[in-house]
Amino acid sequence: ASMAFGLEVRPPLLDVELIELAARMPASLRVTRDRDGRYVGKRVLKRVLEREFPHAFVHRRKQGFASPVTPWMTPGRAGRRLLEAMLADPACRLGEFFRIEAIRDLLAAHGPQQNHAGRLWLLLVLGRWLQRHPEVRFDADDAADQPRALAPAA
């Protein structure tokens, strides 16, 4: 995904020389136990990182790399504008699979009380993909499995 946008992304902990160095270290330097008796890895790396970064940052729990879809679907933001423009286009192919009015209702309901950002994002991605691939067609039977709220137009 990164190379599709010309980004150089390299996972440094997969570097062969670094792995060989870590393999030569005694386990006591690589792994320790925390106050609760749980094993904590990357001991030496974390000690080095603590020189430059706060302890809380170095020792925080792992977190994913989720896209900020909820903010993107906020009114006035780019993702929301793209989806609104797509739904306003008479050539929008999402209507082949879903009721456009149901998508608009979902979009209108999206907000702090009801977060539909994940669904809206998937609809936007599907809509863009369908725009780029006009040659792709699906059988009517494929649409029968869609959720009732977003059932194909009659």
Side-chain angles (χ1 to χ4, degrees), residues 24-32 41-45 47:
R24 290 191 302 267
M25 289 181 178
S28 61
L29 291 178
R30 290 180 288 159
V31 180
T32 189
K42 303 176 192 158
R43 181 179 181 197
V44 172
L45 176 64
R47 295 278 305 271

Side-chain angles (χ1 to χ4, degrees), residues 38-118:
R38 294 177 297 218
Y39 283 104
V40 178
K42 303 176 192 158
R43 181 179 181 197
V44 172
L45 176 64
K46 289 180 181 184
R47 295 278 305 271
V48 171
L49 289 173
E50 283 179 337
R51 296 177 190 165
E52 300 293 327
F53 299 99
H55 183 273
F57 174 78
V58 173
H59 295 278
R60 70 183 181 182
R61 296 184 71 116
K62 287 184 178 184
Q63 60 186 46
F65 297 101
S67 299
V69 175
T70 299
W72 290 345
M73 287 296 150
T74 302
R77 300 293 298 270
R80 176 80 169 237
R81 288 193 310 266
L82 277 171
L83 185 54
E84 289 168 346
M86 183 184 298
L87 296 174
D89 184 351
C92 176
R93 290 193 54 206
L94 288 174
E96 296 174 22
F97 307 97
F98 309 104
R99 289 183 293 115
I100 295 296
E101 198 54 44
I103 299 173
R104 286 190 183 114
D105 291 346
L106 193 67
L107 191 59
H110 173 65
Q113 303 300 324
Q114 297 180 28
N115 185 348
H116 301 296

Side-chain angles (χ1 to χ4, degrees), residues 128-149:
R128 295 286 293 189
W129 187 84
L130 290 168
Q131 284 175 339
R132 290 183 178 216
H133 300 281
E135 74 284 0
V136 175
R137 297 286 173 202
F138 297 95
D139 294 333
D141 293 339
D142 293 340
D145 296 329
Q146 298 302 322
R148 186 170 173 229

